[in-house]
Amino acid sequence: MIVITYLLETSGSVEALAAKIASDQSTGTFVPVPGETEELKNRAAARVLAIRPMDPVPVPSLPQDGLAGPFNRAEADIGFPFDAVGTDLSALMTIAIGGAYSIRGLSGIRVVGMKLPDEFRGVYPGPQFGVPGTRRLTGVHGRPVIGTIIKPALGLRPPEAAVIIKELIASGVDFIKDDEKLMSPAYSPLSERVAAIMPLVLDHEQKTGKKVMYAFGISHIDPDQMMRNHDLVVKAGGNAAVVNINSIGMGAMAFLRRRSRLVLHAHRNGWDILTRHPGLGMDFSVWQQFWRLLGVDQFQINGIGSKYWEPDQSFVRSFKAVTTPLFSPEDCPMPVAGSGQWGGQAPETYARTGRTVDLLYLCGGGIVSHPSGPAAGVVAVQQAWQATVQGIPLQIYAQSHPELRQAIEKFGRDGKGA
Amino acid sequence: MIVITYLLETSGSVEALAAKIASDQSTGTFVPVPGETEELKNRAAARVLAIRPMDPVPVPSLPQDGLAGPFNRAEADIGFPFDAVGTDLSALMTIAIGGAYSIRGLSGIRVVGMKLPDEFRGVYPGPQFGVPGTRRLTGVHGRPVIGTIIKPALGLRPPEAAVIIKELIASGVDFIKDDEKLMSPAYSPLSERVAAIMPLVLDHEQKTGKKVMYAFGISHIDPDQMMRNHDLVVKAGGNAAVVNINSIGMGAMAFLRRRSRLVLHAHRNGWDILTRHPGLGMDFSVWQQFWRLLGVDQFQINGIGSKYWEPDQSFVRSFKAVTTPLFSPEDCPMPVAGSGQWGGQAPETYARTGRTVDLLYLCGGGIVSHPSGPAAGVVAVQQAWQATVQGIPLQIYAQSHPELRQAIEKFGRDGKGA
């Protein structure tokens, strides 16, 4: 049985609403029809398993013309027989989630839980690389993989980008990525970008033995073109790609993963609108299950003190979600803390995510804009994590570590981001 | 230039918010970085083109802890240089829409307009069949194509479904579809369903010359499997498929359309959560542009008096959206009015959608549950449209048309749906 938990809100009865969802999303229709036998219902009918009432709210999540509150709320568990859905994730999305959003008579609906049965085990490939693959390819062990992003986000031509990237590679950073908005525009076609950047990566590897993981923006609306983009990167010796999962969609992700030889770094832009209203949409804990099964290797989930709307607590929950096995530890992607990060968030990130260093810690301006340049920026982030893991306050550690001291002076004024 | 119109809502300045979106979604970063020259800004920077203030609202679309209203609102047009995005729809979604949803300091954001420049003309395939192809394949001219849906939605085994479908085919209906929730579950694998149903369609064609268009649910999370599903239908002589566009995603739709030999009937389940809150998400007029360019042939948009949350006015706007050319009339899909329909909504549908009969009019229970059976149900819907086009009130026409009279008696009590 597949169990979905909905946060329901209605001016009417939450019990009736839950029953309606179960019916509409399985055997129901709007008038009784012949053929809906008891045997058939047993085969396919969804059932309300539990209802946990919550405090009503005075303001509805969806504006309700002419309806005064309070609006009743409850969490409802609905069980879908496995045979009514099967393991196809597009069927799961259609039956258990998509259709429920269209139902009348509710003032709010949010999918807050999804428990997949053991029939799903092994059906999907999951991450190809995840944490172990990322560590193996970067050669980074015992500390977070430290990454950065090319800025400005848009507009740099490949030769202009290469100047910046050369400096970043030399800085000792482990991972560099295209901004998620950079895919293959006229001023920076992917082929030219790969041609400009990969020789720098390989040259540095030859000289130092360290291969920086560079994730190229390969997303394209046409999966065939996306695969050609993928192949370009592979052929040039690259080992990673940024994939805008929400823009290409689940099917294209399945298509890519099945053929991929790259570490797939997921950016979830667009996702926010599905989760930002607490009474509507979906929890990340649900949504991420789809993408993990499909094979995301590295999952961007913002970070402490991010520059976006997402509160720290939501990042912490997301971190826990992606690091909790669905069926086995191998289905966990590497969490990516990013947005507004510099070393300053290391202590809080570490303390609130289970004291692990198994993450990709992504600093854009936090590295690039270090007063002494990107190399000092990378060192400062490394120092912040050294201090954190050793339990030494950053201010103390900074006394003997000038790069970290400079970073704190520049970025640390508000205690968090720049 | 690509122009996106956002409905913005904030306790602060709408002008500042619009400027922030333009910056964040193009060249901006959170600290000034080297390399952001004037030339680069001209190449890639988005710009606020116009701001149209609207009345503030007392209640924010997104709950704002501790912030009192009123919340300022405006429509803002932001122009993205074509070269910063290109024609890739996943880049467009990422740059101009997705990222904007994550921005801080807003209490509401909805994308309400999108004007694509002429560079997009001819880049995407658009509908392969649309209205003319649907008419050619069904042989229906001068009136709406009339369709129905197999009920119950889930649970029927192929032989059980075949009994119902045989009767529906004999009823004279033009189009039949699997419920969108029916894809390929264990109790009704697509291959068995095709094997059970297509001989009935072909047998009827041989006897009567009328080929009912049967749309099979071919969606699958894996585009390769979806193509195998497509091929199954083609090989058996079928000519249509139900595609759950929102569950498979844009990339998979592009993949399918490029290879498709079937009429692609789009069901948009899951879409509602992106549009149901008037201050959040996206207008259908924007979203449908993506799917039309990608190649939807028939687009479900609910109908008058639907059983879902969507108000009639929203259906009317959607109808206008899908029937308004983007670049040429060939890029218009066939609108599909469905959900709670029977003949009773024909007059209002006709009056409010520009007096056209170029639509697929989809009645589930409205046909299947007719007191004299499905054949009478189909005749009743045909009669309702005959009366409508001739400007004769249904009640009058029903005096000489018993099937319509019976339908009105059964379904017409509340004036709209059953």
Side-chain angles (χ1 to χ4, degrees), chain A residues 20 23-36 39-40 43-44 59-63 83-95 97-107 109 124 151-157 160 164 179-187 219-224 228 244 246-252 254-255 258-259 269-274 276-278 280-282 294 305-310 339-341 364-366 368-369 410-411 417-418, chain B residues 20 23-36 39-40 43-44 59-63 83-95 97-107 109 124 151-157 160 164 179-187 219-224 228 244 246-252 254-255 258-259 269-274 276-278 280-282 294 305-310 339-341 364-366 368-369 410-411 417-418:
Chain A
K20 181 171 165 53
S23 168
D24 280 16
Q25 294 313 110
S26 57
T27 57
T29 176
F30 77 125
V31 285
V33 290
E36 191 162 1
E39 186 209 348
L40 178 147
R43 196 184 300 153
V59 176
S61 295
L62 294 165
D83 279 349
V85 180
T87 57
D88 177 5
L89 294 177
S90 72
L92 176 62
M93 188 58 92
T94 298
I95 295 171
I97 298 180
Y101 290 141
S102 66
I103 285 174
R104 260 193 200 179
L106 55 80
S107 62
I109 180 168
Y124 288 94
K151 301 286 176 185
L154 298 187
L156 291 171
R157 296 207 172 93
E160 298 163 342
I164 298 173
D179 187 277
E180 80 281 359
K181 292 184 286 297
L182 183 58
M183 293 151 77
S184 198
Y187 66 85
S219 303
H220 194 280
I221 196 66
D222 176 352
D224 298 312
R228 287 193 289 275
N244 297 331
N246 202 48
S247 297
I248 63 167
M250 292 203 302
F255 180 88
R258 181 188 280 278
R259 293 157 174 81
N269 57 85
W271 149 250
D272 304 82
I273 202 69
L274 282 167
R276 197 165 168 171
H277 193 302
L280 303 174
M282 209 185 304
L294 291 173
S306 94
K307 61 180 171 172
Y308 300 120
W309 72 277
E310 192 172 5
S339 172
Q341 303 297 298
V368 176
S369 302
K410 172 147 189 180
F411 303 123
Chain B
K20 181 171 165 55
S23 167
D24 279 16
Q25 293 314 107
S26 57
T27 57
T29 177
F30 78 124
V31 283
V33 290
E36 191 161 2
E39 187 210 345
L40 179 148
R43 197 185 301 155
V59 176
S61 295
L62 293 165
D83 279 349
V85 181
T87 57
D88 176 5
L89 294 177
S90 71
L92 176 62
M93 189 58 93
T94 298
I95 296 170
I97 298 180
Y101 291 141
S102 65
I103 285 176
R104 259 192 200 181
L106 55 80
S107 63
I109 182 167
Y124 287 93
K151 302 284 177 185
L154 298 186
L156 291 171
R157 296 207 172 94
E160 297 163 343
I164 299 173
D179 188 278
E180 80 280 359
K181 291 184 285 297
L182 184 58
M183 294 152 75
S184 198
Y187 65 84
S219 303
H220 194 281
I221 196 66
D222 176 352
D224 297 312
R228 287 192 289 274
N244 297 333
N246 202 49
S247 297
I248 64 167
M250 293 205 302
F255 180 88
R258 181 187 279 278
R259 293 156 174 80
N269 56 83
W271 149 250
D272 304 81
I273 202 68
L274 282 168
R276 197 166 169 169
H277 194 301
L280 303 173
M282 210 185 305
L294 292 173
S306 93
K307 61 180 171 172
Y308 299 119
W309 72 277
E310 193 173 4
S339 172
Q341 303 297 297
V368 176
S369 302
K410 172 146 189 181
F411 302 123

